[in-house]
Amino acid sequence: MSRSRKTRHLPTGHAGPPAPDTGGLGVSRGVRGARAHPGPRWEGGLRILPRWAAVLAFLLVSSGCASLNALLALRQVEFDLDRVSRIALAGVDLMQVRGYEDLSAADVARLGIALAQGTLPLELTLDLSAANPDGNPEARLLALDWDLFLDGVRTVGGGLPEAVVLPSGEVTMVPVSIRLDLREFFDGGARELVNLAAGLAGLGGEPVAIALEAVPTVDTPIGPIRYPRPLVLGNRGAMPSEVTVP
């Protein structure tokens, strides 16, 4: 907003003091001794910006386009839940267990001790595949915030421990390590909970729907940009009905 200035009327015939030659620079005349500062010039009816302003505008536009291209590149990366590569219940390896009947006496005893203590820790590793198509620039995944859903139950959440580089034209496996107390989210005795955990690996028995709701964060020239919408990786049937799946 321009400020109005008072007009000083000089006596007739008084030309007033000569205006200093500013060389095209705007001069503040409200304070005695004020220093000249660069301002816009007018040539031929066109407003000419100082060189530094034009350079700054170019850099802002360039960085904005680079940031948009980086975000679009991440959107083209295809994420999916590839497999469960590790699963253990109270320290008992279940990767080769189809159900409760496959457990040894020692395994049953270990699970019984854990249940007597009111806990049943489940540890699993989910391998996510990230396919970066040919022609895409290399993407750098800074973070991946996730929530784990098992048979319609939201359980625990977490993130990646470190950034992952996704080379162009390659499929990169991103391991996600998860730990939770199965007794905190599901009822039942040792047999029911062992069968539920074994079903996560899909080796036998009744399969258990598993999914991650994940939100990636990608690196860009102007800083990290968080993915605008969550991805559902895995079995969408694992999501509860009140969760909207995009």
Side-chain angles (χ1 to χ4, degrees):
M1 179 180 297
S2 61
R3 298 181 180 179
S4 60
R5 296 184 179 181
K6 293 184 179 180
T7 303
R8 181 183 178 187
H9 298 281
L10 298 178
T12 303
H14 193 293
D21 183 7
T22 63
L25 300 179
V27 180
S28 174
R29 304 181 63 182
V31 180
R32 182 181 298 273
R35 298 180 60 184
H37 58 84
R41 294 183 295 110
W42 293 83
E43 293 183 4
L46 297 178
R47 192 182 192 191
I48 308 301
L49 294 176
R51 181 178 300 175
W52 63 265
V55 172
L56 178 60
F58 173 77
L59 291 177
L60 289 175
V61 172
S62 299
S63 63
C65 292
S67 171
L68 179 59
N69 289 335
L71 184 57
L72 292 177
L74 178 68
R75 286 179 178 274
Q76 296 173 6
V77 174
E78 296 181 1
F79 294 90
D80 199 3
L81 175 56
D82 186 72
R83 64 182 181 271
V84 179
S85 60
R86 175 179 178 269
I87 181 167
L89 191 62
V92 177
D93 186 3
L94 297 183
M95 287 303 298
Q96 303 300 324
V97 172
R98 296 178 178 272
Y100 185 82
E101 292 75 13
D102 292 342
L103 296 177
S104 67
D107 293 337
V108 172
R110 179 177 295 181
L111 293 171
I113 293 174
L115 285 171
Q117 296 173 345
T119 182
L120 199 60
L122 174 68
E123 299 178 16
L124 66 157
T125 300
L126 305 182
D127 289 341
L128 308 182
S129 63
N132 195 6
D134 288 325
N136 258 17
E138 180 180 272
R140 188 164 180 260
L141 190 63
L142 294 181
L144 186 71
D145 299 327
W146 52 263
D147 287 308
L148 174 67
F149 290 83
L150 300 176
D151 267 355
V153 178
R154 183 191 296 268
T155 59
V156 295
L160 291 181
E162 58 185 7
V164 178
V165 176
L166 308 176
S168 175
E170 297 184 14
V171 177
T172 304
M173 289 297 168
V174 182
V176 176
S177 299
I178 302 173
R179 180 182 174 90
L180 68 146
D181 185 357
L182 209 56
R183 285 290 300 274
E184 183 178 345
F185 303 99
F186 297 94
D187 297 324
R191 180 180 297 272
E192 291 79 12
L193 294 178
V194 167
N195 290 338
L196 184 149
L200 293 174
L203 297 178
E206 185 177 353
V208 176
I210 180 173
L212 283 184
E213 186 180 63
V215 181
T217 299
V218 63
D219 195 14
T220 73
I222 63 171
I225 293 181
R226 184 178 172 87
Y227 214 71
R229 297 183 64 183
L231 306 175
V232 177
L233 310 179
N235 191 334
R236 292 177 178 239
M239 309 296 290
S241 57
E242 65 270 15
V243 174
T244 301
V245 179

